[in-house]
Amino acid sequence: GPKCGARLRFNRNVKGTSFKLLAGDGDDSAGRKDLEATLSAGVKQAFAVETQGPGGQVIDGRYYSFTVGHENFINDSELSALRQVADGMVLPELVDSNFEPQAEILKLGGVLGCWPEGRGFWLAEDRSVAVWIGAYEHISLLVSGSCKSSEGGLAALLAKGRGLLERLCTAIGGENGAWATHGEYGFVATHPPNLGTGLRAVARVAVPTLSKRGKDLSALSRAMNACGLAARSQGGESFS
């Protein structure tokens, strides 16, 4: 059958942590590094112990830091090689020209302050799970997998993601929880599209005939728009 996969991204911010570490004057390098240390340690703790329910298995992985001098610092050549195989799970270079004009918007909002200090990502060995630290929000959990109905569909992937998110919440915030929320607006975010549920979902399906092998998305876009969805090219989700 056709290739069918999906990627979910859950975006969260840590309650009690200054949003100046993401927006505002953006010049707190030490604060960003301290937050990176706290969150990266929480990620490792969260996935090192088996729990009950979907997404409860031990997940082996590694943390990669963009911070120069960090013990897990990843250099440009290693990062480039990893991007070739990790299928969008690696933290993007938000200051790269490929993200204009988004990069300019993020810069004006202070989100890119001290880049790349205090940024990094944890990636599972099988590349099905990743956690970004210090991108648009304090932390973003990404879960990738099949969305075929024979394998549980998107619902199974969503259940796995929610299970992993609960593990992160407990590891970072303990019994009092970790995430910043608002009674009316839901999960708090610095980036407007992440406000509310904090969830973004992309389904990937190979439709070479309808898209003229990726060269013309007009017919596919019309079909998706009729369903209230958006069609994108092979790259999948926009990082905006």
Side-chain angles (χ1 to χ4, degrees):
K3 294 181 180 179
C4 179
R7 183 168 68 241
L8 308 179
R9 174 152 60 96
F10 300 83
N11 301 287
R12 296 290 186 268
N13 287 291
V14 181
K15 64 182 180 181
T17 301
S18 174
F19 268 76
K20 285 189 175 182
L21 297 181
L22 279 173
D25 52 31
D27 61 358
D28 188 357
S29 174
R32 290 177 185 270
K33 291 179 181 178
D34 288 344
L35 184 60
E36 178 188 18
T38 298
L39 296 183
S40 60
V43 172
K44 294 175 185 177
Q45 177 185 337
F47 299 151
V49 179
E50 186 174 359
T51 61
Q52 299 295 318
Q57 71 275 21
V58 173
I59 305 177
D60 294 322
R62 177 184 170 188
Y63 183 71
Y64 302 87
S65 178
F66 285 6
T67 303
V68 176
H70 193 285
E71 62 179 352
N72 299 119
F73 176 72
I74 181 171
N75 62 43
D76 289 343
S77 60
E78 293 172 329
L79 184 60
S80 178
L82 199 53
R83 290 192 192 282
Q84 297 297 316
V85 298
D87 191 26
M89 302 294 277
V90 175
L91 177 68
E93 291 279 357
L94 299 182
V95 296
D96 190 278
S97 60
N98 290 331
F99 291 93
E100 296 288 356
Q102 295 97 320
E104 182 63 24
I105 295 173
L106 295 173
K107 181 178 179 180
L108 290 172
V111 176
L112 299 184
C114 302
W115 183 273
E117 304 261 334
R119 276 72 168 206
F121 62 97
W122 182 94
L123 183 66
E125 287 186 356
D126 65 0
R127 302 192 291 274
S128 66
V129 178
V131 180
W132 297 350
I133 291 176
Y136 305 102
E137 314 299 343
H138 289 152
I139 195 165
S140 298
L141 167 70
L142 288 81
V143 184
S144 179
S146 172
C147 59
K148 291 183 178 180
S149 58
S150 61
E151 299 179 33
L154 193 59
L157 196 61
L158 181 60
K160 177 182 178 180
R162 292 177 62 184
L164 293 172
L165 199 61
E166 289 177 6
R167 294 168 69 179
L168 283 173
C169 185
T170 300
I172 295 170
E175 61 181 17
N176 295 321
W179 314 133
T181 60
H182 184 278
E184 182 176 355
Y185 300 115
F187 290 106
V188 177
T190 61
H191 197 47
N194 296 337
L195 187 66
T197 64
L199 172 64
R200 307 192 75 175
V202 173
R204 304 186 301 276
V205 181
V207 283
T209 301
L210 190 58
S211 67
K212 296 184 179 179
R213 299 195 176 278
K215 296 180 180 179
D216 184 355
L217 301 183
S218 56
L220 178 60
S221 294
R222 288 193 294 271
M224 293 294 98
N225 291 339
C227 299
L229 303 172
R232 299 190 185 276
S233 60
Q234 183 176 349
E237 180 188 8
S238 164
F239 292 104
S240 63

